Amino acid sequence: MNPREYIDFLGIIEKNKCNTRHSWTSSGRRESVAEHSWRLSVMAMLCADEYPDLDINKLIKMCLIHDFGEAVTGDIPSFLKTDSHEKEEEKAIKELLSKLPDSYREEFTALFEEMNALETPEAKLYKALDNMEAVVSHNEAPISTWIPDEYRMNLTYGEDKAQWSPWTRALREQLKEDSLKKIEESKEK
């Protein structure tokens, strides 16, 4: 990849630093897509001891690229996302990847296909962590940023994706306990 192509691609995905998500930070500002992807990648990296047979580098790559399309489309919260939105994001991903040299385009295309199929342990863990990162973020954010549906969603979001392994089930259960505690504490104030 020549320096111009490299810089141009970085300029496109830089938009994920600007595009905000529905989630808020603990300081009370909207979280960027890039911040979500960064922490998701850290979450994946810290799973290496729990999953010694998984390809953690592949998992981290999945986490880093999973929201590339949102550099073009922006973030749409999962509870508002339609099939049309999904298709628009897939198209944006294909367009972005077409700007990369063949080796990266082929690797990242294969990773996106694997992630969408949710059949490999890496893809299942990526998706479980992706959902749970949102719950962690909501639990850290001021409860005043929660919309009414989040009182229910924070207790159930990603539960289905966490079922594939004992460790992700335990993590999801701990997040549910944290959410319940946050909700209860907010009632006391």
Side-chain angles (χ1 to χ4, degrees), residues 57-68:
N57 286 329
K58 181 202 276 189
L59 175 64
I60 292 169
K61 285 180 182 182
M62 289 177 170
C63 295
L64 287 169
I65 70 168
H66 85 286
D67 277 341
F68 267 15

Side-chain angles (χ1 to χ4, degrees), residues 13-46:
I13 63 167
E14 185 271 344
K15 301 301 180 254
N16 276 343
K17 291 170 39 176
C18 305
N19 292 341
T20 56
R21 291 171 44 85
H22 173 72
S23 300
W24 296 75
T25 67
S26 61
S27 67
R29 69 167 173 77
R30 289 233 182 222
E31 170 191 48
S32 74
V33 174
E35 289 168 318
H36 160 70
S37 295
W38 168 78
R39 181 155 69 175
L40 176 58
S41 301
V42 172
M43 290 171 71
M45 179 179 65
L46 295 175

